[in-house]
């Protein structure tokens, strides 16, 4: 029963992976108490002039899925959702702070790429960290008329660096229940050209090569005629 399936499917929530960039903000009623736990990029100052306001420094999740957090040290975050990461950091901070702080984790580099037979191939930053395959194609201006809707490829790299290629048939209504319907950070969506476009490309290349060859022969003939005059 489809309604039962929909009820049992949890809402999508992105998980932290190695090479992710995160900002982690720790807030409390006493700003001085949480100051050591907020890494900031210093503002540029010259004399009395300030060029920019201090901004939060991003944490790079290493290959072991860890970040180096001030005072606490190494924290493993790989595989956790933002909410789970916030709870974990909050728990670790409890022995350093009198009051429970508010911890906010955000992805800085949640990006996906759409290439191939789309109107505007590009890499897109996803602000709300949730995007499905149709939304990704819409960002890229949708497929061209030569795109193969039944054979859209998603290239994905897992936490161990292994790459996987998955094929989605966008003409199949059940695609919305696929575990690959929602895209992860750093996914690449590739839309293949159909046979007509592929053949036209081959014909176009052959025609260009033939015209180039003909042009060279005409140039040589003209040169010989001029020399032999």
């Amino acid at each position: 029963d489809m309604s039962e399936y929909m009820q049992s499917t949890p809402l999508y929530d992105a998980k932290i992976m190695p090479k992710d960039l995160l900002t982690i903000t720790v807030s409390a009623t006493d700003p001085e108490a949480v100051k050591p736990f907020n890494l900031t990029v210093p503002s540029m100052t010259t004399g009395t002039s300030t060029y920019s306001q201090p901004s939060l420094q991003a944490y790079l999740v290493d290959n072991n899925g860890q970040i180096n957090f001030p005072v606490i040290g190494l924290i493993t975050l790989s595989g956790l959702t933002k909410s789970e990461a916030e709870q974990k950091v909050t728990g670790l901070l409890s022995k350093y702070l009198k009051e429970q702080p508010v911890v906010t984790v955000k992805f800085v580099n949640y990006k996906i790429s759409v290439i191939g037979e789309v109107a505007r191939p590009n890499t897109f930053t996803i602000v709300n960290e949730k995007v499905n395959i149709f939304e990704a194609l819409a960002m890229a201006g949708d497929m061209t008329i030569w795109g193969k809707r039944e054979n859209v490829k998603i290239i994905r790299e897992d936490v161990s660096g292994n790459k996987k290629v998955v094929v989605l048939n966008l003409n199949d209504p059940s695609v919305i229940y696929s575990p690959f319907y929602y895209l992860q950070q750093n996914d690449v969506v590739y839309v293949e050209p159909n046979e007509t476009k592929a053949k036209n490309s081959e014909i176009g290349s052959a025609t260009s090569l033939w015209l180039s060859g003909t042009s060279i022969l005409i140039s040589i003939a003209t040169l010989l005629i001029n020399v032999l005059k």
Side-chain angles (χ1 to χ4, degrees), residues 14-224:
K15 293 187 176 180
I16 297 167
M17 297 175 63
K19 303 303 181 186
D20 278 342
L21 279 172
L22 309 171
T23 57
I24 302 177
T25 310
V26 183
S27 306
T29 53
D30 181 6
E32 286 300 315
V34 296
K35 193 173 181 180
F37 303 102
N38 287 300
L39 275 184
T40 57
V41 179
S43 57
M44 299 292 291
T45 57
T46 304
T48 56
S49 302
T50 302
Y51 291 111
S52 63
Q53 293 296 319
S55 57
L56 280 174
Q57 185 171 312
Y59 296 89
L60 176 64
V61 182
D62 66 20
N63 288 344
N64 297 319
Q66 298 179 312
I67 62 165
N68 193 3
F69 199 75
V71 183
I72 295 174
L74 292 175
I75 304 175
T76 302
L77 296 180
S78 185
L80 302 181
T81 63
K82 284 198 314 175
S83 178
E84 291 167 344
E86 288 165 355
Q87 291 172 17
K88 184 169 187 176
V89 175
T90 300
L92 292 170
L93 287 171
S94 61
K95 65 179 180 180
Y96 298 100
L97 300 168
K98 292 179 181 178
E99 63 170 308
Q100 182 169 308
V102 175
V103 176
T104 306
V105 176
K106 288 186 177 180
F107 287 91
V108 176
N109 65 335
Y110 199 103
K111 296 177 181 177
I112 54 107
S113 299
V114 186
I115 59 174
E117 286 299 326
V118 290
R120 295 186 297 275
N122 209 338
T123 297
F124 304 95
T125 300
I126 311 302
V127 179
N128 66 350
E129 297 141 20
K130 182 180 177 182
V131 61
N132 64 47
I133 182 67
F134 292 110
E135 290 169 332
L137 290 170
M139 289 177 188
D142 201 3
M143 292 187 195
T144 67
I145 58 172
W146 299 288
K148 292 173 72 172
R149 291 187 177 273
E150 72 282 0
N151 196 28
V152 174
K153 289 183 169 66
I154 295 176
I155 304 164
R156 177 171 294 178
E157 187 174 330
D158 64 18
V159 292
S160 303
N162 299 316
K163 292 178 177 61
K164 179 187 293 185
V165 179
V166 179
V167 177
L168 292 182
N169 179 1
L170 301 190
N171 292 327
D172 183 357
S174 65
V175 72
I176 63 174
Y177 304 119
S178 166
F180 294 88
Y181 176 65
Y182 284 104
L183 302 178
Q184 291 182 3
Q185 59 272 48
N186 304 316
D187 276 359
V188 176
V189 178
Y190 171 56
V191 180
E192 283 190 336
N194 58 25
E195 291 179 6
T196 304
K197 177 65 181 286
K199 286 178 180 177
N200 286 343
S201 297
E202 289 174 8
I203 293 168
S205 299
T207 303
S208 298
L209 187 62
W210 181 80
L211 288 172
S212 297
T214 304
S215 177
I216 291 168
L217 288 173
I218 291 170
S219 298
I220 293 170
T222 304
L223 180 64
L224 287 171

